[in-house]
Amino acid sequence: AAKQWEELYLGAASASPALHESWVVIARFLRHNKVLPCGLSHNGIIRLLRLAITRTAPVRIRITGSPAFDGIYEAKVGSVHLFRRHAEGPPLVLRRKPRAGGQEAINVAWHGIPLKALRSAAVEWKIQPEADDAEIDTPLAVVFDEAENPTLIRALWWLRGRGGRFHQVQTVSVEIEAVSQEEVAPCVEAVL
């Protein structure tokens, strides 16, 4: 049964949201049950394990989309909202920052980003030099998404271009590079 289910899924992943959701549900419970469905192929097991760690807090992420900030970013110890890039040049950070509301709030309006988008945003993730002020300095890239984990960001990013003007792009990607051993231990047990 697992083999037939897998063949259906691999053959119709984009056409069948229900089949995809069934994989997501099994992946979600894999971390608790530590049992894989019998009869899955190697590709099926890998796909299931990838889905199982999707919502895991990463310790390292890979950001791609511009030579200005591409690279591996490490989570600050004890934080899932601050990641630091270790590379040549000035260190960069990816940080999650709630956008404040009320009359006392300081929220910067960046050239090129519609005011409506800025006002409706509750949270921003931004890539900027580590030494920059998190509140007011202009980032290299920003996205308005309430995701707690940067690998779950689904909104489109805004990149700072020539003259400081921002433009929206689809090319920025944030992917898990590494997770803690404690987080993946249940998945390892399921495979062994």
Side-chain angles (χ1 to χ4, degrees):
K3 186 174 170 91
Q4 293 168 330
W5 171 65
E6 178 184 357
E7 287 172 359
L8 279 172
Y9 178 65
L10 295 177
S14 61
S16 181
L19 277 171
H20 176 71
E21 186 60 26
S22 68
W23 277 78
V24 170
V25 168
I26 288 177
R28 192 175 302 137
F29 289 106
L30 176 64
R31 296 185 65 230
H32 303 290
N33 294 340
K34 302 173 190 158
V35 176
L36 282 169
C38 294
L40 290 178
S41 70
H42 290 93
N43 286 339
I45 291 170
I46 290 169
R47 182 177 296 244
L48 201 53
L49 292 174
R50 282 189 177 146
L51 284 170
I53 65 166
T54 298
R55 298 202 179 275
T56 302
V59 293
R60 270 194 312 279
I61 57 174
R62 177 182 300 275
I63 301 178
T64 57
S66 169
F69 56 76
D70 286 354
I72 305 293
Y73 291 67
E74 280 195 38
K76 181 181 175 196
V77 177
S79 175
V80 294
H81 297 144
L82 181 63
F83 295 80
R84 184 174 191 261
R85 182 181 78 163
H86 299 278
E88 293 181 22
L92 299 177
V93 293
L94 169 68
R95 61 174 47 121
R96 183 183 192 271
K97 183 184 127 353
R99 289 182 61 87
Q103 292 180 346
E104 302 295 320
I106 298 175
N107 286 315
V108 178
W110 294 297
H111 188 58
I113 302 177
L115 214 48
K116 182 178 180 181
L118 290 164
R119 286 186 177 147
S120 66
V123 175
E124 62 191 25
W125 283 93
K126 53 187 171 179
I127 300 170
Q128 63 188 138
E130 186 174 32
D132 279 5
D133 185 287
E135 296 287 331
I136 59 172
D137 284 332
T138 305
L140 300 171
V142 64
V143 64
F144 306 109
D145 194 305
E146 295 182 27
E148 291 287 332
N149 176 336
T151 63
L152 299 177
I153 292 171
R154 297 295 173 249
L156 294 178
W157 285 78
W158 293 87
L159 298 187
R160 186 174 73 194
R162 296 181 192 253
R165 182 177 181 80
F166 282 83
H167 59 281
Q168 206 167 28
V169 298
Q170 297 180 1
T171 57
V172 177
S173 170
V174 181
E175 297 181 15
I176 293 174
E177 183 71 16
V179 295
S180 72
Q181 288 189 354
E182 296 82 29
E183 292 281 347
V184 296
C187 296
V188 172
E189 288 180 38
V191 172
L192 300 177

